[in-house]
Amino acid sequence: MRIDRRSFLAAGGGVLAASFGAGPASAAVRLFGGGDERDGRTLVLVQLSGGNDGLSTVVPYANDEYRRVRDSIRLNADQVLALDDERGLHGELKGLKSMYDAGRLAIVEGAGYPNPIRSHFKSYDVWHTAHARGRAVGEGWVPRLVREAFPKEAAPERMVHIGKQVPYSLHSPTSAPVAFEIPESYRWFGQTPEASDAAPESTGNPALDRLRGVQADANASSRRIRDAARSYRTAADYPNSAFGRALRVAASLIDARIGGRVISVDLNGFDTHRDQRRQHDQLMRTLDEGLAVFCGDLRGRTAGDECMVVVFSEFGRRVAENGSRGTDHGTAGPMFVMGAPVKGGLYGEAPRLDRLKDGDLVHTTDFRSVYATVAQRWFGADAEAVLGAKYPLLDFA
Amino acid sequence: MAAALFAASQLAACSRTAGPPAPPAPWDADAARHLANRAGFGATPAELRAAVARGREAEVERLLRGGRGVAPFAIVDLAAIREACRPGPPEGYEHRLRVANQQQLRGYALWWIDAMLSGADPLRERMTLFWHGYFTTSVRIVRHSGMVATQHDFLRRNALGNFGDLLRGIVHDPAMLVYLDAHVNRAGEGNENFARELLELYSLGEGNYTERDVREVARALTGLSFDDAGRPRFRPEHHDGGSKTVLGREGRFGPDEVVALLLERPECARHVAGRMLAYLEGVPPREARLERYARLLRESGYELDPVLRALFLDPEFYRDEVVGRRQASPLDQYLGAAHRCRLDVAPLELRIAAALAGEDLFAPPGVDGWPRDNDWITTSGLMTRANHCGVLVGALGADDVLRMHAATTAEIGPGSLRGVPVLELPPTGLRLVMLRRAEEWASRLRARDAARTHLAPRALEDGVRDERDLAAWVAERGLAIRAPRELEADWARAIAADRRAAGVEDSGWLRRPAAEPVVRRALHRALASPAGCLH
């Protein structure tokens, strides 16, 4: 008899669940070989598009230099949720703060990479491919992760983006990601194009062959996605924002166990060159409301033990504010990792405000250490094979 | 005349340095179709025959020369639009202004789509669409319709002109200044947003400048602004007149000097040529070819005409890797189908359909414009386009449009109670905009359903008799590329089944009213196929 992780946990695998995050290749991962087709381990990637201001997210509120160079946009002690007497979370991040207090939120400070690029697109390429060469690699890091961790899985829904712009992290030369915004609209109207019986494997036009693959994936996933979203029952009160809705759909896919391994969502608007405070405060509120409800919704479910969330942005912003009460493009910033399997706390090292390079923070943790930890400790995959290089693991998982 | 001679000598120089000449590609219907797809928005079989008869050189010259053009759009500027909105209760002023701006931009967008549909000047419209993505500006941020339309008019007039003129103009362009915060970049109150994108996206490309260059260029760009009418105006009182070091050169540079410095750099010509080739061919050029085109651009003083001419005459433009392998943008796809099938669709429908599929004119999703190269299609992207094509050919109707884009009714929202969806929250933000568009499209369809094109008579006119003819007809009219033979066989079988179901199996079937849905369905099937997304 084959025992799947879900029934195992339901049958009182509490000890096992507790051992999650207990170190390298946790018990569950070992038990199920890291490649078991039936467990529901899922990674949710939350992208803060536009370059999130890290110093307004994890705020060095007591730092004199911070106060000096952020004269008009700084957050004061009474506007942050103190983590200790040096730093605090942005005041809107109330839900994240309680997750932190409960030990379910890991904050990785000073995440970045060497020779930082301040172009949105090129910096994204680095984050999305986990490689300095960016798109020259030809593939995002997510397909590599899924391939290494679940070599036998082939469902198109193993990688899903919910939203408009699909990040390159999900890009694969051989297939297009399952991507949609509204589940109910994720269907054909009129007639469902059917795969041709007569058509050969290859038409001699690679672009056409690829699109035929996309069509087959669309056909295969359409009903499963819609059924999952439609049949989801929850008491959780998701906010009526694009971000909130996307997270709700993510929760429904995770709960329905349709085989999603990585689910990507994004929150836009972080390119705050002008009048930053108002916009950024609002964004923090949207982020917090969404993630708090999402994590709370999952907590009561089996799926909650199986879902890890990673929040990232393409870069932080310049330490000193600019002349328009905004900030220009910068470098390092914090990442968040959360969920039941996460060992909360502060990781990495706060970037020094008194040791800037070109007016920018110097990163203290390579973001690929977060990827590597997720790959190795959470998915039981060979992180080096996924990332093409070795990165020190962190202890949040 | 002098320009033409110059271009010809450049071409000669170009072929001298290009190594052994590639064998000339045949000039047949396939080649003519490819040129029409990329230099414009597709061609009907009759237009292809005319192009083949004309010869490649003559066809390229015809495209470059342009056509009769379209009647210009009279743009109402910022001051005039404010003045027009003044009468009435003061508390309603902002609302009136917003509505007036929406109306003007919508009028302008429809005017442009009409120009694209007309086929009067296809290459100009194609390149305008390219520059609109290259020098991105979004009305969602700029807000003033007059500014956005004026910028677009500038891009359109210079679309086939000179890149130097484009760059020199765009640096003073009010819509661009607002979009990238350049009007608030002042001496002592710097804002690097525009400086960085000017270097990265508009001229040199990432990696060809330093962080110091970004800062110094930002200083040089201080003082750029506009007046109450939304016309460019330089404000010396906000300009940082000090010395700057840009790209290794020192001086008291202002905006125009910076542009001159950028244009001097070989990286600039490489960046522009690379973007043009990647757009028109669908794949980024290889090094030797990129360098050849970059040099052509540089040596012609950034004239675009010689580059486009050389490209369209270049046998490599017609190579297998390029022909029929570019993912059409939604607008490419819809415009092409509408033109080839002579669909009776209004510009408004095309605008809405493209916007709902992610190509919202004047509101690109980000600073680098729309998705590039072959990044357009996702699983849902493929479905959305297929569904929209069904509406455009009349196989689907108003109710389908509403269901396709239903924002709340079909979706179970937050706070469902004991499994019963209780959410009736109105959609917000962008979603609301899109829902409104779907509603507008649906009401438009309801109003004109009776007057819809009758495709069956057209097929009959074109000599269609049986399902095999009809399958060939929808392939030729519907698709921008030559369809694989096997597809046509499949389609013929499906059409035969539809005919049986509709009870129109006699020889005069295409004259029967019941044939119309069969033809629409057949055309929808072709357009909805993966081949329908390529051009």
Side-chain angles (χ1 to χ4, degrees):
Chain A
M1 192 193 99
R2 187 184 160 100
I3 178 170
D4 72 65
R5 220 177 78 77
R6 184 184 213 180
S7 53
F8 186 83
L9 288 175
V15 181
L16 187 55
S19 78
F20 259 82
S26 66
V29 173
R30 255 185 276 117
L31 182 58
F32 295 100
D36 188 272
E37 317 288 310
R38 308 276 293 281
D39 77 271
R41 280 170 294 153
T42 309
L43 171 66
V44 176
L45 289 170
V46 177
Q47 172 169 304
L48 310 181
S49 298
N52 175 40
D53 184 23
L55 292 177
S56 299
T57 306
V58 179
V59 186
Y61 67 93
N63 186 295
D64 290 339
E65 182 62 9
Y66 164 76
R67 303 179 58 75
R68 192 180 67 79
V69 298
R70 291 289 182 94
D71 187 46
S72 77
I73 62 164
R74 68 165 179 250
L75 288 99
N76 295 315
D78 58 345
Q79 294 164 317
V80 303
L81 306 166
L83 298 171
D84 54 30
D85 50 15
E86 288 171 22
R87 42 169 112 60
L89 287 174
H90 187 290
E92 294 289 352
L93 299 177
K94 297 183 188 74
L96 294 192
K97 176 65 166 49
S98 54
M99 273 187 248
Y100 178 84
D101 292 339
R104 289 193 303 269
L105 170 66
I107 300 172
V108 181
E109 295 186 280
Y113 56 94
N115 304 314
I117 306 171
R118 291 161 186 83
S119 149
H120 294 292
F121 319 104
K122 299 288 178 180
S123 193
Y124 263 137
D125 289 349
V126 176
W127 282 85
H128 289 159
T129 60
H131 205 289
R133 286 168 61 225
R135 293 190 185 205
V137 175
E139 192 175 28
W141 81 281
V142 170
R144 285 165 8 226
L145 168 70
V146 172
R147 207 164 49 226
E148 284 296 327
F150 307 100
K152 290 184 220 142
E153 294 186 6
E157 305 93 316
R158 66 197 185 283
M159 294 180 282
V160 174
H161 177 72
I162 306 166
K164 281 189 190 305
Q165 305 295 314
V166 182
Y168 192 81
S169 51
L170 272 63
H171 177 87
S172 146
T174 50
S175 63
V178 166
F180 59 89
E181 214 185 340
I182 305 167
E184 275 304 319
S185 304
Y186 188 60
R187 52 165 289 205
W188 310 99
F189 285 83
Q191 51 190 337
T192 303
E194 270 145 42
S196 165
D197 300 331
E201 275 299 299
S202 168
T203 59
N205 179 343
L208 184 55
D209 291 344
R210 182 180 154 90
L211 288 185
R212 286 169 46 177
V214 177
Q215 188 183 57
D217 287 350
N219 268 345
S221 58
S222 165
R223 176 157 296 283
R224 292 197 289 261
I225 297 276
R226 284 182 290 134
D227 284 349
R230 195 184 296 130
S231 60
Y232 191 50
R233 299 287 175 262
T234 179
D237 196 16
Y238 283 87
N240 185 29
S241 62
F243 185 62
R245 283 190 299 263
L247 287 173
R248 187 184 196 283
V249 175
S252 72
L253 300 186
I254 293 166
D255 187 64
R257 303 172 75 88
I258 59 168
R261 289 305 180 183
V262 178
I263 298 175
S264 152
V265 297
D266 58 5
L267 178 59
N268 253 300
F270 286 88
D271 198 16
T272 47
H273 286 276
R274 181 154 46 122
D275 296 326
Q276 173 172 301
R277 264 308 290 276
R278 185 180 45 79
Q279 298 170 61
H280 192 261
D281 289 356
Q282 174 62 45
L283 287 164
M284 288 289 110
R285 192 176 316 135
T286 305
L287 176 71
D288 186 75
E289 282 174 356
L291 286 177
V293 175
F294 176 71
C295 290
D297 187 12
L298 287 185
R299 201 170 308 135
R301 302 165 188 269
T302 312
D305 299 332
E306 303 187 313
C307 177
M308 191 179 274
V309 182
V310 170
V311 183
F312 72 101
S313 187
E314 74 266 37
F315 44 62
R317 306 193 73 85
R318 183 69 43 80
V319 172
E321 67 182 55
N322 67 16
S324 334
R325 295 177 304 283
T327 50
D328 295 320
H329 302 182
T331 53
M335 291 172 81
F336 294 134
V337 188
M338 62 194 85
V342 170
K343 196 160 75 184
L346 289 165
Y347 295 87
E349 198 183 317
R352 299 277 300 259
L353 288 170
D354 56 351
R355 284 194 204 150
L356 304 182
K357 186 163 182 255
D358 283 345
D360 278 318
L361 301 171
V362 178
H363 79 282
T364 54
T365 300
D366 196 301
F367 72 92
R368 286 161 292 201
S369 278
V370 176
Y371 289 4
T373 308
V374 171
Q376 186 96 33
R377 298 228 169 117
W378 176 233
F379 282 124
D382 177 353
E384 195 176 345
V386 174
L387 302 173
K390 246 187 155 50
Y391 296 95
L393 301 184
L394 302 170
D395 287 328
F396 63 75
Chain B
M1 191 61 211
L5 281 175
F6 177 71
S9 75
Q10 286 303 317
L11 257 181
C14 199
S15 57
R16 268 202 310 277
T17 54
W27 179 246
D28 53 15
D30 285 342
R33 182 186 299 113
H34 173 58
L35 180 63
N37 286 340
R38 304 297 175 82
F41 297 93
T44 62
E47 287 167 336
L48 293 181
R49 282 193 296 276
V52 171
R54 216 174 271 132
R56 191 192 320 254
E57 285 76 13
E59 180 64 4
V60 170
E61 287 312 315
R62 190 185 70 86
L63 287 165
L64 285 167
R65 201 167 51 241
R68 56 195 185 279
V70 290
F73 183 94
I75 299 167
V76 183
D77 73 21
L78 191 56
I81 219 166
R82 282 185 178 142
E83 200 49 49
C85 292
R86 205 79 69 195
E91 64 276 13
Y93 170 73
E94 288 298 331
H95 176 71
R96 292 195 295 277
L97 195 59
R98 201 165 49 245
V99 170
N101 268 310
Q102 279 167 2
Q103 278 174 349
Q104 161 149 279
L105 195 73
R106 170 198 165 109
Y108 189 86
L110 298 187
W111 171 82
W112 184 32
I113 290 174
D114 204 33
M116 290 191 259
L117 257 180
S118 77
D121 205 347
L123 181 57
R124 177 170 303 279
E125 308 307 350
R126 165 59 71 196
M127 291 308 290
T128 305
L129 187 56
F130 168 71
W131 294 119
H132 179 37
Y134 183 99
F135 291 115
T136 319
T137 297
S138 170
V139 70
R140 291 196 209 293
I141 289 171
V142 179
R143 308 237 169 239
H144 304 297
S145 59
M147 281 186 186
V148 172
T150 301
Q151 179 195 72
H152 188 265
D153 179 61
F154 164 75
L155 296 177
R156 194 166 175 276
R157 279 186 288 110
N158 291 280
L160 307 175
N162 183 293
F163 179 76
D165 291 343
L166 281 165
L167 198 63
R168 278 185 285 272
I170 211 72
V171 158
H172 293 274
D173 178 74
M176 177 61 78
L177 301 185
V178 176
Y179 184 58
L180 292 178
D181 305 313
H183 63 310
V184 296
N185 171 35
R186 295 170 181 172
E189 298 175 16
N191 187 311
E192 291 172 7
N193 201 6
F194 185 41
R196 180 177 303 280
E197 305 307 2
L198 176 63
L199 291 168
E200 179 193 338
L201 296 176
Y202 303 154
S203 60
L204 303 183
E206 217 283 318
N208 296 314
Y209 52 87
T210 64
E211 282 306 304
R212 171 149 193 218
D213 288 328
V214 175
R215 291 165 207 215
E216 295 287 279
V217 167
R219 288 180 58 215
L221 296 179
T222 49
L224 290 167
S225 188
F226 45 86
D227 65 16
D228 290 344
R231 287 179 302 240
R233 181 174 149 190
F234 191 71
R235 299 184 190 270
E237 70 274 23
H238 293 319
H239 181 64
D240 177 343
S243 179
K244 297 113 188 161
T245 306
V246 174
L247 301 165
R249 306 267 286 275
E250 205 183 325
R252 295 179 181 280
F253 303 131
D256 299 335
E257 288 80 15
V258 164
V259 171
L261 285 173
L262 296 175
L263 290 169
E264 271 176 29
R265 306 290 288 204
E267 293 87 355
C268 183
R270 277 175 64 91
H271 181 74
V272 177
R275 284 286 304 271
M276 285 174 71
L277 261 68
Y279 180 75
L280 292 166
E281 296 200 332
V283 282
R286 280 188 257 287
E287 176 55 32
R289 204 145 169 275
L290 170 60
E291 191 46 44
R292 194 172 113 212
Y293 278 91
R295 192 163 51 212
L296 180 55
L297 185 60
R298 208 164 63 233
E299 288 173 0
S300 70
Y302 284 101
E303 286 293 323
L304 300 167
D305 193 84
V307 174
L308 292 168
R309 179 178 290 106
L311 180 64
F312 297 148
L313 294 175
D314 186 344
E316 289 193 57
F317 179 67
Y318 300 87
R319 68 190 188 277
D320 286 347
E321 188 193 5
V322 171
V323 177
R325 295 188 186 179
R326 181 178 185 268
Q327 283 182 11
S329 78
L331 210 51
D332 291 336
Q333 187 176 358
Y334 305 155
L335 279 168
H339 180 74
R340 286 187 304 271
C341 305
R342 291 169 294 165
L343 295 178
D344 185 16
V345 291
L348 176 71
E349 291 177 63
L350 295 174
R351 182 188 185 218
I352 294 174
L356 292 171
E359 193 176 18
D360 192 3
L361 293 180
F362 306 107
V367 191
D368 68 340
W370 280 283
R372 298 218 192 131
D373 313 334
N374 281 334
D375 278 352
W376 271 105
I377 305 270
T378 61
T379 48
S380 61
L382 202 70
M383 286 176 178
T384 304
R385 287 167 182 230
N387 295 338
H388 286 174
C389 285
V391 181
L392 293 175
V393 304
L396 297 172
D399 292 340
D400 296 307
V401 170
L402 287 178
R403 284 193 293 143
M404 269 174 222
H405 300 284
T408 52
T409 49
E411 188 186 6
I412 301 161
S416 51
L417 196 64
R418 290 181 194 163
V420 181
V422 293
L423 175 81
E424 290 300 333
L425 282 175
T428 52
L430 198 55
R431 208 136 177 247
L432 179 64
V433 173
M434 293 302 163
L435 183 64
R436 289 275 148 78
R437 288 201 165 139
E439 284 166 354
E440 190 180 357
W441 191 6
S443 68
R444 178 69 161 224
L445 287 171
R446 286 209 177 89
R448 66 198 294 276
D449 255 351
R452 255 195 128 54
T453 312
H454 293 294
L455 290 168
R458 295 221 166 138
L460 192 63
E461 226 173 82
D462 289 342
V464 172
R465 292 298 172 264
D466 58 18
E467 51 263 14
R468 293 238 302 275
D469 297 342
L470 184 57
W473 187 78
V474 296
E476 184 179 44
R477 290 282 173 175
L479 303 184
I481 68 172
R482 202 149 44 96
R485 282 261 158 250
E486 302 80 9
L487 267 184
E488 277 186 35
D490 275 355
W491 294 346
R493 272 191 295 278
I495 293 166
D498 286 348
R499 275 183 73 179
R500 267 194 304 281
V504 284
E505 291 184 278
D506 55 300
S507 60
W509 69 290
L510 272 172
R511 295 180 204 284
R512 310 251 305 270
E516 180 68 19
V518 176
V519 177
R520 290 182 183 184
R521 221 171 126 81
L523 190 54
H524 182 200
R525 191 177 294 116
L527 288 170
S529 76
C533 297
L534 294 173
H535 78 165

